[in-house]
Each structure stands twice: as structure tokens, then as C-alpha cells.
Amino acid sequence: AQSVTQLDSQVPVFEEAPVELRCNYSSSVSVYLFWYVQYPNQGLQLLLKYLSGSTLVESINGFEAEFNKSQTSFHLRKPSVHISDTAEYFCAVSDDGGATNKLIFGTGTLLAVQP
Amino acid sequence: KAGVTQTPRYLIKTRGQQVTLSCSPISGHRSVSWYQQTPGQGLQFLFEYFSETQRNKGNFPGRFSGRQFSNSRSEMNVSTLELGDSALYLCASSLGGTTPGELFFGEGSRLTVL
């Protein structure tokens, strides 16, 4: 079965600094990868996804993630964070090659942006 | 376009009782998935329904069940509640194609079992 590891439970960072949230997944023949964000007292929102094609995927608010098959990683990066980026970020993988919408989530990384 | 609506948002039950949670997906979405979120276990997949059929199921006991109606609305039921069932239950809808698309999550139903 697929699994997802987010090594950092919390990442404190100052505003306007760069940040990287790490995500590793267990290997599979076909994999779809996602980053979701959860703001306080809200449901999850899709940030970006990798299904196929270019290994670098971007979101509309400046985040990007790179699919690295050899390292089985899908790290999330942003060159300059804002206070409003404070939230919990979840990496997820499709468990069955996309046949259903079952996702395996990591344990989450709390991004705490400080002024 | 209305988002995913979950009701009730908060509820308190006692051990042994049962509970039914409701989810109205985004109009046109045919897939509804349910997840349990707890501080200890994180987000865990419960089940997915697509066109009224259960398409996938997670590793939860039979006390957890669900269904989907012809209008794509979904309910999940937990019987014989245990303290460990206290959690945020999230519903997510999607178009439900053959490749995983974007899941749209509701704000959740927070269940407290006393």
C-alpha cells in the first residue's frame, strides 16, 4: 500500500523568507501526487497536483512542487512566504493509480509564518 | 456555485449512540468521499461513493457505513459510538472521472463522543 511521509510536523519561518515543506511517498508504478492546504477551522483546499507531464507544478499563489521519481519526493516550495500562508499543509498520494478518489494523506506540516 | 455543505457542523453524542452526518456535494459532482481527521491518526479515508455505488472503502469497522442518493447527496452513519470516534469528519466531492481530480472539501462535522 502507498504511504506518505511528511518529516516536519511544524516549520516556523519569518515573513518573506523562502520555505520548503518535505514530502516523500512509497514507490509505485503509477502515482498521482497532491498538496492540500487547511486553514484554521476550514476544510482542505487543493493547492497543486501532479498527474503527468512536467515534473514542476505551480499554484496560483506562488507555491511550486517538483515530482522527483528517483527520490520518490514531492517537496513544496515558496520563495517568499506571507503571513496569510500560515496553515497546515498535507501531501497526498493516490492509492490506486487514480481508479478512485481515495487519497493517502501525510500527517501534515504546520507552516507558521512570523512577522 | 455553492460549495460542499456538511450538516451538522458540531454535535455531541454519548457512547453507544449512533450518528448520521450529511453531505451535499457541488452541483454536477457525482463522487463523494468521506475522511476522518483526528490529531493522532491524521486524515484517514473512510469510503467513496460514485453514482450511488460504493467505489472504495478504507480500513474502518463495520460500524461505519454510508450511502449516496440519486441526487448525489451522501450520508454516513456511525453506530455504537466509541470515545475514539471523536473526530472531524470531512466530506469531499469531485466530478469522479477515471483519473483523480480535484477534491472539494466541506468544512466538516465535528463529532464529540462523551
Side-chain angles (χ1 to χ4, degrees):
Chain A
Q2 292 278 9
S3 65
V4 177
T5 302
Q6 292 182 250
L7 292 172
D8 305 305
S9 60
Q10 187 168 350
V11 173
V13 63
F14 288 107
E15 193 172 19
E16 298 183 7
V19 70
E20 177 180 83
L21 306 184
R22 295 179 293 171
C23 172
N24 289 87
Y25 62 94
S26 59
S27 180
S28 176
V29 176
S30 170
V31 61
Y32 302 118
L33 294 158
F34 307 84
W35 276 100
Y36 279 83
V37 58
Q38 186 176 33
Y39 298 101
N41 300 315
Q42 294 186 26
L44 281 74
Q45 303 172 32
L46 179 67
L47 191 59
L48 44 76
K49 62 185 178 185
Y50 171 78
L51 301 181
S52 64
S54 173
T55 57
L56 184 66
V57 290
E58 299 176 348
S59 73
I60 58 174
N61 57 353
F63 282 94
E64 64 179 31
E66 186 162 18
F67 169 58
N68 188 319
K69 188 174 182 179
S70 63
Q71 298 187 4
T72 60
S73 68
F74 191 56
H75 301 330
L76 181 69
R77 302 183 183 94
K78 189 170 185 180
S80 176
V81 296
H82 303 287
I83 294 287
S84 60
D85 293 324
T86 295
E88 188 144 28
Y89 292 78
F90 294 90
C91 183
V93 63
S94 173
D95 183 61
D96 52 14
T100 71
N101 277 316
K102 177 183 177 182
L103 297 182
I104 304 301
F105 284 90
T107 51
T109 297
L110 177 61
L111 176 62
V113 182
Q114 304 164 27
Chain B
K1 194 174 186 181
V4 177
T5 304
Q6 292 189 244
T7 56
R9 290 292 314 280
Y10 302 90
L11 65 166
I12 300 173
K13 294 285 187 179
T14 57
R15 281 180 298 175
Q17 288 186 310
Q18 74 161 10
V19 66
T20 299
L21 308 178
S22 180
C23 173
S24 293
I26 291 172
S27 177
H29 285 191
R30 297 166 62 191
S31 166
V32 173
S33 304
W34 289 89
Y35 287 83
Q36 181 195 66
Q37 185 177 24
T38 60
Q41 300 296 320
L43 281 151
Q44 293 187 287
F45 174 79
L46 281 156
F47 26 66
E48 179 195 7
Y49 287 88
F50 179 76
S51 294
E52 302 180 65
T53 301
Q54 189 179 85
R55 191 158 73 165
N56 206 336
K57 188 178 188 304
N59 296 322
F60 279 82
R63 301 185 296 107
F64 291 81
S65 63
R67 58 178 175 169
Q68 186 180 34
F69 302 96
S70 58
N71 61 358
S72 293
R73 189 177 70 86
S74 177
E75 289 181 346
M76 66 163 285
N77 183 277
V78 188
S79 62
T80 319
L81 284 166
E82 301 176 358
L83 295 179
D85 297 334
S86 294
L88 180 67
Y89 290 88
L90 292 165
C91 166
S93 77
S94 77
L95 290 171
T98 55
T99 55
E102 179 172 356
L103 294 186
F104 293 82
F105 282 83
E107 295 185 322
S109 293
R110 185 168 295 281
L111 170 66
T112 301
V113 182
L114 303 176

